[in-house]
């Protein structure tokens, strides 16, 4: 009887639709996916047909297990990748690879060249453990890419290249751009983390962009004004405060371009330093976003503050005329990194007094504030701030998330 039950179970497993088998395999590391070949005859080659191939850091760590010499590790990794690609029977639509330290570039060029350029829709290459270098030239042949992720590369597409014209999502980390590049009119998500040369991005075609994240950027050559002007459909914007300086001291300039962003609902300042121009431009941007619903600000006042700067910014905020400002759609405010200076309170007071629809303000105390009494003092001061919205709740957190 047990043999009959086992046979029935095998049949159920064997007769699963191929799409469901691929869903199961996509949730397994490649080593475990390959082991499913022993389940039954129907599963024998299924892992070689799955459209997603993730040769990530976990794959690398498992390949080099028990191999102490660098040469042996690189040899084992390259042999494993060669073997996997050689047994593939169906096209790969999603390819992700971690590049081990000191791996010779000819391996990477060879593997990328083997990929079916018409079929690949997702391509992610993690070169974080090496010096930044140019990716294989074949990268620019993947005309049907929908999602591109690059970590620590040097990007220099050929002149007049339209290789990225179908992209929907781009995530670049520590990437240096050396030539003009457009990611096409279909782009909806653009993430730039610690990148250089982003002045080479052709912003005029970003008219469908909905999510824009720019952080750890320290280049004054970024044309943020032009970027904001051409990205009117953005609904999520994440900036570091250095970019606020690029907007300049003219509030009319900020207002002119901010009011065009009628779809912006979420604004996130991943860093806001104790610098007057950045704070003033931050508030100017906030007040001119007509449909803003969620605001997140991570304060970094500790490093740039001094008594004179404290006093100047507090005086500026107290004198700021916001009586006519109504942030009618703002519902959620998160303030991270609070250390208890008067300027933080004044900054928060301005927002609370202008937000009639506010439902929640979350305050995250900086983790370096360890004194219980100091935390209670800061919390009480925030609780006493007047609110325009009677339903607004203050949620206090003892640490910076």
């Amino acid at each position: 009887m047990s043999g009959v039950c086992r046979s029935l179970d095998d049949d159920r497993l064997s007769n699963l639709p191929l799409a469901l088998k691929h869903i199961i395999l996509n949730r397994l590391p490649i080593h475990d996916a390959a082991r499913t070949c022993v389940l039954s005859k129907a599963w024998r080659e299924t892992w070689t047909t799955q459209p997603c191939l993730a040769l990530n850091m976990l794959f690398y760590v498992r390949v080099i297990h028990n191999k102490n010499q660098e040469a042996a590790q690189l040899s084992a990794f390259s042999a494993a990748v060669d073997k996997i690609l050689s047994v593939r029977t169906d096209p790969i639509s999603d390819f992700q690879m971690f590049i081990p330290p000191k791996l010779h570039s000819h391996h990477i060029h060879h593997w990328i060249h083997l990929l079916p350029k018409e079929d690949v829709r997702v391509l992610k290459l993690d070169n974080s453990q090496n010096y930044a270098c140019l990716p294989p030239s074949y990268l620019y042949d993947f005309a049907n890419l929908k999602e591109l992720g690059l970590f620590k590369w040097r990007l220099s597409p050929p002149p007049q290249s339209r290789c990225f014209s179908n992209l929907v999502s781009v995530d670049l980390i520590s990437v240096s751009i050396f030539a003009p590049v457009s990611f096409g009119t279909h782009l909806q998500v653009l993430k730039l983390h610690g990148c250089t040369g982003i002045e080479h991005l052709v912003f005029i075609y970003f008219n469908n962009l909905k999510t824009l994240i720019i952080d750890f950027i320290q280049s004054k050559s970024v044309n943020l004004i032009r970027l904001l002007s051409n990205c009117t459909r953005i609904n999520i914007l994440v900036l570091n405060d250095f970019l606020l300086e690029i907007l300049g001291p003219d509030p009319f300039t900020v207002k002119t371009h901010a009011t065009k962003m009628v779809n912006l609902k979420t604004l996130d300042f991943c860093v806001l330093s104790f610098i007057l121009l950045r704070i003033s431009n931050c508030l100017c941007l906030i007040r001119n976003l007509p449909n803003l619903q969620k605001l997140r600000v991570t304060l970094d006042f500790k490093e740039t503050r001094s008594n004179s700067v404290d006093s100047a910014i507090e005086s500026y905020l107290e004198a700021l005329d916001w009586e006519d400002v109504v942030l009618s759609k703002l519902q959620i405010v998160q303030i991270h990194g609070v250390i208890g200076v008067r300027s933080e309170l004044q900054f928060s007071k301005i927002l609370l007094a202008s937000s009639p629809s506010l439902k929640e303000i979350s305050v995250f105390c900086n983790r370096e504030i360890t004194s219980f009494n100091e935390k209670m003092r800061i919390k009480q001061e925030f609780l006493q701030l007047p609110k325009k919205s009677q339903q607004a709740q203050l949620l206090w957190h003892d640490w910076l998330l």
Side-chain angles (χ1 to χ4, degrees), residues 323-366:
E323 288 188 4
D324 62 332
V325 177
V326 180
L327 305 174
S328 59
K329 304 290 181 64
L330 188 60
Q331 298 181 20
I332 298 174
V333 172
Q334 295 180 357
I335 302 177
H336 294 248
V338 169
I339 59 174
V341 296
R342 297 295 303 171
S343 298
E344 293 171 342
L345 283 170
Q346 194 63 36
F347 180 87
S348 304
K349 181 179 178 181
I350 290 171
L351 296 175
L352 289 171
S354 308
S355 308
S357 302
L358 192 67
K359 295 180 179 179
E360 174 187 305
I361 176 168
S362 297
V363 180
F364 296 81
C365 187
N366 193 300

Side-chain angles (χ1 to χ4, degrees), residues 35 43 53 60 93 95 109 118 126 140 159 184 201 222 230 258 294 356 361:
R35 289 193 179 103
W43 279 82
L53 184 57
Y60 168 69
S93 62
F95 184 76
H109 288 246
E118 296 78 18
D126 180 354
Y140 305 112
L201 293 179
V222 179
N230 288 285
K294 181 178 179 180
I361 176 168

